[in-house]
Amino acid sequence: MTEWFSETLHPHWRQSFAADRVLLREQTAHQDLVILDNQTFGRVMVLDGMVQLTERDEFVYHEMIAHVPLFGHGAARRVLIIGGGDGGTLREVLRHKTVERATMVEIDATVVEMARDHMPMVSDGAFDDPRAELIIADGIAFVAGAHQPYDVIIIDSTDPFGPAEGLFTPAFYGACRQLLTPGGVLVVQAGVPFLQPREIAHVNAALSAAFPEVAFYAIAVPTYVGGLMTLGWASEDAGKKVPDPAVLAERVAASGLTFGYYSPEGHAGAFALPPHIRAAARG
């Protein structure tokens, strides 16, 4: 008999996955971790009842959370990732040969270990790259005590509950700003506005309290149900958001990279938000 897993993120809406095989159920030091196989989505990681990623569509999220700030910045050498224990964001950051150091700070060592064991296709060797630095620590405490500046900071966190709640505050975003080099860029995940309008409004208010330039861009990840998902963008330099089309196209071509979702045109278009998302962000 097929076992079904139901995600319980939203109080009046649920999506379910047929678990053809459950590879892991474990209560880590910080959260409940489940990894399962599904015929449509492949391998699936679940934390505290919320789907974090699936093998089939993770490329959408990881490409857009990494390449939009990196190509927008244009000269990022040092990158800080908070969260992202599955290694997908680290993988995409390190595809940029111009990145000299990518520091990933993850609070839950078990997530990293189990992702490497059961979902190695996601990190694709990124943890073994000599430019990668993995630190098992609380991201808030790390940022508060750090002194090394970064060109790009990516907050690849779960939704603002439990261990991730403190990653969505003006104080934390302000501390991140202090770590950024001049013209540096911060990117955060901001939920699915159609079902989580309070989340994008909260992120907008918190980012705006810490940065002079704040925007949101949208991506379509099938697993994250409810319509378009949004990512928050912040910087002191508005020009790092969407460079001139010719400049952006030249940067992408010079990288030699190919993508499943990201493109120079899609980079610019992602910031053209539907009115209902703009309204949700205003609160």
Side-chain angles (χ1 to χ4, degrees):
M1 182 176 179
T2 300
E3 178 181 357
W4 284 82
F5 166 80
S6 292
E7 182 183 53
T8 57
L9 174 59
H10 307 293
H12 307 293
W13 167 278
R14 291 188 179 186
Q15 66 167 331
S16 296
F17 290 81
D20 303 308
R21 181 170 58 138
V22 176
L23 289 85
L24 177 73
R25 296 182 194 269
E26 182 168 341
Q27 180 65 47
T28 77
H30 299 278
Q31 52 209 331
D32 180 69
L33 169 64
V34 176
I35 298 178
L36 58 89
D37 280 336
N38 175 272
Q39 287 189 28
T40 300
F41 288 95
R43 202 142 288 183
V44 181
M45 177 184 285
V46 183
L47 292 175
D48 287 339
M50 295 174 281
V51 174
Q52 299 305 302
L53 76 155
T54 76
E55 180 182 355
R56 185 170 180 189
D57 66 9
E58 56 83 13
F59 71 95
V60 177
Y61 174 84
H62 289 133
E63 287 185 11
M64 292 299 281
I65 203 171
H67 300 306
V68 167
L70 285 170
F71 281 123
H73 185 283
R77 296 183 299 109
R78 295 184 60 88
V79 178
L80 173 63
I81 302 166
I82 303 294
D86 53 77
T89 298
L90 182 65
R91 176 197 76 212
E92 292 301 313
V93 166
L94 290 173
R95 293 179 69 199
H96 289 254
K97 301 308 179 186
T98 52
V99 170
E100 298 172 1
R101 194 70 168 170
T103 300
M104 187 181 118
V105 181
E106 166 62 49
I107 195 171
D108 199 331
T110 303
V111 171
V112 176
E113 180 184 351
M114 294 300 101
R116 295 186 74 171
D117 287 348
H118 297 290
M119 306 183 78
M121 74 295 287
V122 176
S123 57
D124 193 27
F127 290 113
D128 300 318
D129 191 303
R131 296 172 295 156
E133 177 185 25
L134 173 62
I135 298 174
I136 302 300
D138 176 82
I140 299 170
F142 177 86
V143 168
H147 302 287
Q148 174 68 50
Y150 296 92
D151 302 305
V152 169
I153 299 177
I154 300 170
I155 312 301
D156 182 6
S157 70
T158 57
D159 286 286
F161 313 107
E165 189 171 359
L167 300 175
F168 291 79
T169 66
F172 177 68
Y173 293 149
C176 287
R177 182 180 177 183
Q178 295 302 311
L179 278 185
L180 285 171
T181 55
V185 176
L186 172 72
V187 169
V188 307
Q189 75 95 353
V192 178
F194 188 80
L195 294 177
Q196 299 168 295
R198 292 182 181 178
E199 185 168 329
I200 188 174
H202 173 78
V203 172
N204 187 30
L207 283 175
S208 297
F211 286 88
E213 300 293 338
V214 174
F216 291 87
Y217 59 102
I219 61 177
V221 186
T223 304
Y224 304 151
V225 297
L228 294 171
M229 181 187 188
T230 51
L231 298 170
W233 179 98
S235 179
E236 296 176 351
D237 183 353
K240 297 291 176 65
K241 182 176 68 174
V242 182
D244 177 88
V247 171
L248 184 58
E250 182 180 352
R251 289 176 183 173
V252 175
S255 75
L257 300 177
T258 58
F259 311 97
Y261 190 93
Y262 178 86
S263 68
E265 300 82 6
H267 179 138
F271 285 93
L273 298 176
H276 80 92
I277 294 182
R278 296 200 302 269
R282 292 193 297 269

